[in-house]
Amino acid sequence: MEADSKPKKSGARLCCVCNQNRAALKRPKTLEQICRECFYAVFEEEIHQVILENQLFKPGERIAIGASGGKDSTVLAYVLSELNRRHNYGLDLFLLSVDEGITGYRDDSLETVKRNELQYGLPLKIVSYKDLYGWTMDEIVKMIGLKNNCTFCGVFRRQALDRGAALLKVDKVATGHNADDIAETVLLNILRGDIARLSRCTSIITGEDGPIPRCKPFKYTYEKEIVMYAYFKKLDYFSTECIYSPNAYRGFAREFIKDLERMRPRAILDIIKSGEDFRISTTTKMPEQGTCERCGYISSQKWCKACVLLEGLNRGLPKLGIGRNQGLNSDGSISARGPVVFAQTKSTQRINFSVSTL
């Protein structure tokens, strides 16, 4: 044995993919020891394969990326931009943000989105609750408190994204919903007994019967891996949680999912697979999709949820529409169940979902 030969360091594991570089991390999804460069490559390739296998996009399509400034949407914007160039998807990409009007949270996160606009060279469109509905979330929380505020925000946000997408004249909206989010939604719909949503919550493309379809390129991507990718790539994102969401019902499902993941990492994918395999009995009566008679938005009721909630706010009855069976009678009195009928007001007349009026 030559004198200048040195023994290899013990304990330094090599990347299980390239077998050359030193492993820098353990993938949460597979528990593989992997180097940074191989992690970037497999992370991006897995998303590329999901896009191809599910035919999420077609050449020439205009795609709006739902951008909040958080880790999921920031990584989605970065990765889609990279894959679009690398694999010649032929997509026109845009950033679409919703300003809910939450001081100290959304105003700060939108500054991140504005920086992303410059960093990735993607045009940005911002729509606000104040302009669309006449209310900010700060004003709504003052009226209703912290118990049911997420109901308002979730309903208004879904519709605001569609309105913004219509303004951009896009073909689809891509959202940063990841595998953890979808597993949480499966559990929530089981707990709520929401058969209609349970049957479609695992779909990678939704809203095909609505104004603009949405797709989830991160359907099988773990939240922890998104965080690691953003951290190692040094991406510019906003990491503060919404100040109004600490008591959200979803948070309990999230903690349960995290506990399962610690014991068995594949539990997230298994829950998603279970959701995909659910079969709804043919005798189960499903709600029929129609359009809201008031604003034209897709709805299974006479009036969409956003119009119900907005009418309650405008009448000083913010809890109107909270729960499944509340609404208004045609004479303006509160109804415990049955169809919801509104009198037209100035604020309701301006909400029209037809693209021609946006």
Side-chain angles (χ1 to χ4, degrees):
M1 184 175 181
E2 297 180 5
D4 60 349
S5 65
K6 296 180 181 179
K8 292 183 179 180
K9 290 183 179 180
S10 60
R13 295 193 178 186
L14 293 179
C15 170
C16 68
V17 177
C18 66
N19 289 315
Q20 294 179 350
N21 300 324
R22 182 173 179 175
L25 59 104
K26 180 188 288 186
R27 286 194 69 186
K29 187 175 184 178
T30 62
L31 301 182
E32 294 174 317
Q33 301 279 350
I34 192 169
C35 69
R36 286 191 191 184
E37 292 306 315
C38 287
F39 172 63
Y40 300 151
V42 297
F43 182 90
E44 294 165 4
E45 181 61 21
E46 285 178 4
I47 295 165
H48 173 56
Q49 290 304 319
V50 167
I51 291 171
L52 292 183
E53 290 168 9
N54 294 277
Q55 300 179 337
L56 298 189
F57 308 121
K58 297 176 183 177
E61 283 189 328
R62 294 165 63 89
I63 306 297
I65 300 169
S68 66
K71 63 185 184 315
D72 299 313
S73 62
T74 299
V75 172
L76 180 62
Y78 177 83
V79 171
L80 275 187
S81 297
E82 289 295 309
L83 295 179
N84 191 35
R85 284 191 291 267
R86 187 183 305 161
H87 299 289
N88 298 314
Y89 290 167
L91 305 176
D92 289 328
L93 300 176
F94 302 84
L95 297 177
L96 174 59
S97 294
V98 176
D99 181 2
E100 301 94 340
I102 303 175
T103 305
Y105 169 67
R106 184 56 71 209
D107 47 356
D108 292 337
S109 71
L110 285 176
E111 291 304 313
T112 303
V113 178
K114 290 172 185 176
R115 293 194 298 272
N116 293 158
E117 175 188 15
L118 300 176
Q119 292 160 352
Y120 308 147
L122 301 178
L124 169 64
K125 176 67 180 176
I126 301 174
V127 293
S128 72
Y129 282 10
K130 189 68 173 178
D131 291 340
L132 293 174
Y133 309 117
W135 292 80
T136 66
M137 276 308 298
D138 286 340
E139 293 167 341
I140 292 172
V141 169
K142 275 186 182 178
M143 179 175 281
I144 196 164
L146 290 172
K147 187 174 182 182
N148 293 302
N149 59 291
C150 288
T151 298
F152 284 84
C153 196
V155 170
F156 288 166
R157 183 177 176 78
R158 280 190 293 274
Q159 195 172 120
L161 273 175
D162 282 336
R163 291 172 181 274
L167 284 171
L168 288 171
K169 296 183 172 65
V170 298
D171 300 289
K172 285 191 187 79
V173 176
T175 64
H177 291 97
N178 57 52
D180 301 55
D181 296 327
I182 296 170
E184 290 163 14
T185 303
V186 171
L187 288 181
L188 285 173
N189 288 331
I190 291 173
L191 293 173
R192 291 169 175 159
D194 195 331
I195 301 300
R197 285 193 175 93
L198 181 59
S199 64
R200 63 176 183 267
C201 69
T202 57
S203 300
I204 198 165
I205 299 177
T206 57
E208 292 176 288
D209 54 350
I212 298 171
R214 298 186 188 186
C215 64
K216 309 181 191 80
F218 285 174
K219 177 181 175 181
Y220 301 109
T221 306
Y222 278 31
E223 182 179 49
K224 286 181 180 177
E225 297 203 352
I226 292 172
V227 173
M228 293 172 111
Y229 186 90
Y231 174 78
F232 286 127
K233 283 280 189 179
K234 295 182 170 54
L235 300 185
D236 184 4
Y237 69 94
F238 185 76
S239 58
T240 303
E241 291 291 327
C242 177
I243 59 177
Y244 294 143
S245 67
N247 298 318
Y249 186 41
R250 179 176 284 272
F252 297 103
R254 181 175 296 120
E255 288 303 312
F256 180 61
I257 293 290
K258 296 302 179 191
D259 289 340
L260 290 177
E261 184 187 11
R262 278 190 287 271
M263 293 184 289
R264 187 167 176 271
R266 274 202 59 88
I268 292 174
L269 294 179
D270 289 341
I271 292 172
I272 294 174
K273 184 66 167 62
S274 297
E276 292 172 338
D277 291 342
F278 275 126
R279 295 292 179 267
I280 308 303
S281 171
T282 55
T283 60
T284 301
K285 187 177 180 181
M286 301 293 285
E288 295 181 6
Q289 293 291 348
T291 55
C292 174
E293 292 184 5
R294 188 187 193 195
C295 72
Y297 191 71
I298 187 169
S299 175
S300 59
Q301 303 295 326
K302 196 170 185 180
W303 309 96
C304 72
K305 190 69 170 178
C307 285
V308 176
L309 295 174
L310 188 60
E311 183 69 9
L313 290 172
N314 291 333
R315 286 176 172 242
L317 301 168
K319 292 187 178 179
L320 188 70
I322 299 293
R324 296 185 178 182
N325 298 316
Q326 290 191 343
L328 294 175
N329 293 316
S330 57
D331 61 358
S333 61
I334 299 174
S335 171
R337 55 169 54 89
V340 182
V341 180
F342 300 101
Q344 283 284 349
T345 65
K346 182 178 179 182
S347 61
T348 64
Q349 290 172 346
R350 66 183 174 190
I351 298 185
N352 189 313
F353 196 72
S354 62
V355 174
S356 60
T357 64
L358 287 172

